[in-house]
Amino acid sequence: MDFDLSDEQKMLKRTVRDFAEKEIKPTRAEFDEKAEYPIEILRRLGDMGIMGMAIPPEYGGSGADVISYAIAVEELSKIDPSVAVAVSVHNSLGCDPIVKFGTEEQKKKWLPGLASGKKIGCFCLTEPDAGSDAAAVKGTARLDGDEYIINARKQFITNAAGADLSLVFVMTDKEKGYKGISGFLVPTDAPGFSRGKKEKKMGIHASVTMEMNYEDCRIPKENLLGEEGDGFKIALWALDAGRIGVAAQAVGIAQGALNEAVAYSKERIQFGKPISSFQAIQWMIADMATEIDAARFLVYRAAYVKDKGGRFSKEAAMAKLKASDVAVNVSRDAVQIFGGYGYMREYPVERYYRDAKITEIYEGTSEIQRMVISRALLR
Amino acid sequence: MNILVCMKQVPDTAIAIRLDAEQKSIDRSEITYVVNPFDEYAIEAGLQLKEKYGGEVTLVTMGPDRADEALRTGLAMGADKGVHISDPALEGSDTLVTAKVLAAAIKGLPYDIVLCGKVATDDNTGQVGPALAELLGIPHISGATTLEVDDDAKKATATREVEGGFMRMEVPIPAVITAEKDLNAPRYPSLPGIMKAKTKPVDKKDVASLGMDPSSVGLAGSKIQPMGMSLPPVREAGRIIEGEAEEAAKELARLLRAEVKIL
């Protein structure tokens, strides 16, 4: 068993860290404050091959392994979790389902643009009455000659602000329940598509989240992904993989918060000494670091199993369950170490704390992760 | 166009430097290394010339085995191949010996231009580039903030910053140009570039294969012998003068006169 990253993975880690430190860190607070979508940063990450990590080189992607993907998302998240989730959703939910389920024509048409970061992808499953119960979607699609006509109201869509392509899950046959759900590739310039309200959120402000509406939205019938009725299977497959990305994002949040807390504890003088000399702080830092390592190894393990081609639902769910819990706890403790300053927006740790909570919710709540894990054990 | 870029692996400037027990060198046990930041500008300039004129960018470095990592970083940015001169006998080489070794490696290669960083951030001498030009018998411009190369007219034009203004210089090529930090914005290695870097050819050279005598290199062959190194003095903690403003100001004036002796 080898705990070392490969030379390529180490260089990727250094490169993304360097990019995040130099190109994202200086403006992250401003993007958060203005709730502005960092499209220029995503384009530059596209130039670096980070927006099509798993896309094969013949479609313009990097053809990288899943551990590399987790490394890149963590390094971005350490500096800005909003950028990290935009990258994660684009890769795992926007690109990978096309790689896995798309026809040759669909791959040729969509993947090069997505891989270069010149086009942004998003994933539209959630509806007002269909969250954890994704099979309850009410949106529909019906075939009309050579076109499908889609009617749906999708919400909480990550990357909605920049998306050029949406992967939308709607009912093609209500009688069949979840087996009647189908996935469609809908470009955001399709007639009948419109963006709805921009949500005001607790955290990840720069990951602008919106409603996406499809009203008699017409698309060519070739835009069906897989077969009619494959939608639920595709969505669950994508979310399994996406969870590795969210888990990596959570590890990044925790590591970023810990780094800030360690630096601050050495500088902050109280009672005539740096607070890092107090055992109360030392023990917190030791626990934070240990929890982060545990979470990171679960993420790498899930990525490793996926790289090997095995079933990874349980491993991905465990990684996300643990890492999101760690992100919330560690960022909360980081605020505690900063004391009153930690509560102020002028210091970065309150943002990590706000950003952490969502990792316990999106791409499957912690409760859903426990269902996935226990099902695998009790089947 | 054949473009050579000389580069060096240096300690990361973001980390704290400690000295070894003999105080003649830095303690390398806990150091992380990076490509000398000035060399990144030289690599970027080389890649831009390749994009304009075609050809190849070859990286040349002298350094221990770990310097391979710096070469791979340059290859991941887009350089085509590397030359790595590594030999225990080279340990302690001064700038002139370093330039001689680089010149020996370069003389066997085709080149239209040689690019270097202006200075390495570890030893901070800025001598290797100009010395290399002298040894190769070609002109050089140091500290270029702009660079245009005309491959058809076989000339290079560069801007240098001088006291109170700028100087524009033109040289015939081949020439050595050393890069100042505003020359360009070095690209980040791309993920496909990183994945390809390992498979790009790196020619390993040692002192013997360059036809040099081991006694003419390293500390033994160097005219400059380091005598010692010292860290800058640690800044002492400030002192806060308590009390009412008027009293405190008087005390401050007294201290500046009596203790600091600057008034």
Side-chain angles (χ1 to χ4, degrees), chain B residues 132-147:
Chain B
L132 177 62
E134 189 64 27
L135 293 166
L136 294 173
I138 56 177
H140 91 274
I141 302 176
S142 61
T145 54
T146 70
L147 173 65

Side-chain angles (χ1 to χ4, degrees), chain A residues 8 14-15 23 48 62-63, chain B residues 69 188-191 195 198:
Chain A
E8 289 82 359
R14 272 201 310 277
T15 302
E23 314 293 338
M48 290 165 66
S62 299
Chain B
E69 193 181 297
Y188 290 88
S190 71
L191 180 52
M195 292 165 74
K198 208 173 193 171

Side-chain angles (χ1 to χ4, degrees), chain A residues 25 28 78 253-268 274-277 281-282 284-286 288-289 292 329-339 342 347-350 352:
Chain A
K25 195 172 186 177
R28 63 179 175 176
K78 266 162 68 176
I253 291 172
Q255 188 67 56
L258 175 62
N259 291 353
E260 296 284 354
V262 166
Y264 182 80
S265 71
K266 292 199 270 191
E267 286 166 10
R268 172 69 169 170
I275 61 170
S276 60
S277 66
I281 304 294
Q282 292 166 357
M284 258 204 258
I285 284 172
M288 291 156 86
I292 292 169
N329 291 340
V330 167
S331 58
R332 184 194 58 230
D333 288 349
V335 171
Q336 196 67 18
I337 288 170
F338 271 71
Y347 291 80
V349 286
E350 67 84 32
Y352 285 115

Side-chain angles (χ1 to χ4, degrees), chain A residues 100 152 185 229 239 249 303 308 330 356 364:
Chain A
K100 173 92 174 168
L185 297 166
L239 288 169
Q249 182 207 16
K308 294 278 167 189
V330 167

Side-chain angles (χ1 to χ4, degrees), chain A residues 30-44:
Chain A
E30 193 185 327
F31 276 86
D32 178 69
E33 190 68 30
K34 292 183 182 162
E36 190 178 325
Y37 187 68
I39 188 71
E40 287 309 318
I41 287 168
L42 299 179
R43 301 272 191 246
R44 292 187 64 189

